[in-house]
């Protein structure tokens, strides 16, 4: 199914690309010398479709780089959160291991909050547990 949808997009795109290339094959001079346009120091003569396609490719690359740099703080925050999660999981594992060893050694564990183990009993200040 994925190949079908890929073909459904790629084949028409390829047809449009070929028609565009055939219709715009005359040569143009691209100059990077603003002071001497008749005999530029840096310039190239290329087919028009190559110039347009290269401009589009460079625009996509520039936009991707701008997006990558703009979202850098989100990637840094995600790395920090992942490190915090790893640290918390390691601490939880240590606490569970410590709790397991102390309960095996005869130390009584406290009941979970909200359990019915101590219902009706009172603590030192007289509050109902």
């Amino acid at each position: 199914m994925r190949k079908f949808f890929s073909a459904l997009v790629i084949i028409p795109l390829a047809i449009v690309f070929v028609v565009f290339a055939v219709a715009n094959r005359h040569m143009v001079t691209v100059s990077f010398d603003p002071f001497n346009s008749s005999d530029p120091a840096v310039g190239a003569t290329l087919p028009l479709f190559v110039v347009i396609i290269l401009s589009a490719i460079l625009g996509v690359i520039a936009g991707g780089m701008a997006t990558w740099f703009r979202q850098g703080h989100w990637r840094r925050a995600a790395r920090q959160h992942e490190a915090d999660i790893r640290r918390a999981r390691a601490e939880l594992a240590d606490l569970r291991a410590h709790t397991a060893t102390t309960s095996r050694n005869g130390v009584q564990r406290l009941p979970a909050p909200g359990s019915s183990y101590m219902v009706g009993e009172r603590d030192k200040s007289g509050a109902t547990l």
Side-chain angles (χ1 to χ4, degrees):
M1 191 69 157
R2 180 178 239 162
K3 288 182 182 182
F4 173 73
F5 286 122
S6 294
L8 190 67
V9 171
I10 291 175
I11 291 174
L13 192 63
I15 291 171
V16 168
F17 177 73
V18 169
V19 169
F20 178 77
V22 169
N24 294 297
R25 57 193 162 151
H26 58 280
M27 301 300 270
V28 293
T29 301
V30 178
S31 173
F32 295 103
D33 188 1
F35 302 112
N36 189 3
S37 61
S38 61
D39 186 29
V42 179
T45 302
L46 302 167
L48 179 61
F49 74 93
V50 172
V51 173
I52 293 173
I53 291 172
L54 285 177
S55 299
I57 290 171
L58 290 175
V60 168
I61 291 171
M65 288 174 53
T67 302
W68 178 260
F69 289 125
R70 179 94 174 151
Q71 295 176 349
H73 64 280
W74 295 110
R75 288 189 304 279
R76 186 173 33 259
R79 283 192 303 270
Q80 181 63 41
H81 291 308
E82 287 174 4
D84 291 344
I85 288 170
R86 273 188 250 110
R87 198 173 319 119
R89 285 183 179 162
E91 184 178 340
L92 179 62
D94 290 344
L95 287 173
R96 284 183 177 166
H98 177 71
T99 304
T101 57
T102 56
S103 66
R104 275 188 252 134
N105 294 336
V107 177
Q108 186 177 3
R109 295 176 61 187
L110 295 175
S115 68
S116 61
Y117 178 72
M118 297 178 71
V119 173
E121 295 184 21
R122 296 185 179 270
D123 66 355
K124 288 182 180 180
S125 64
T128 302
L129 299 175

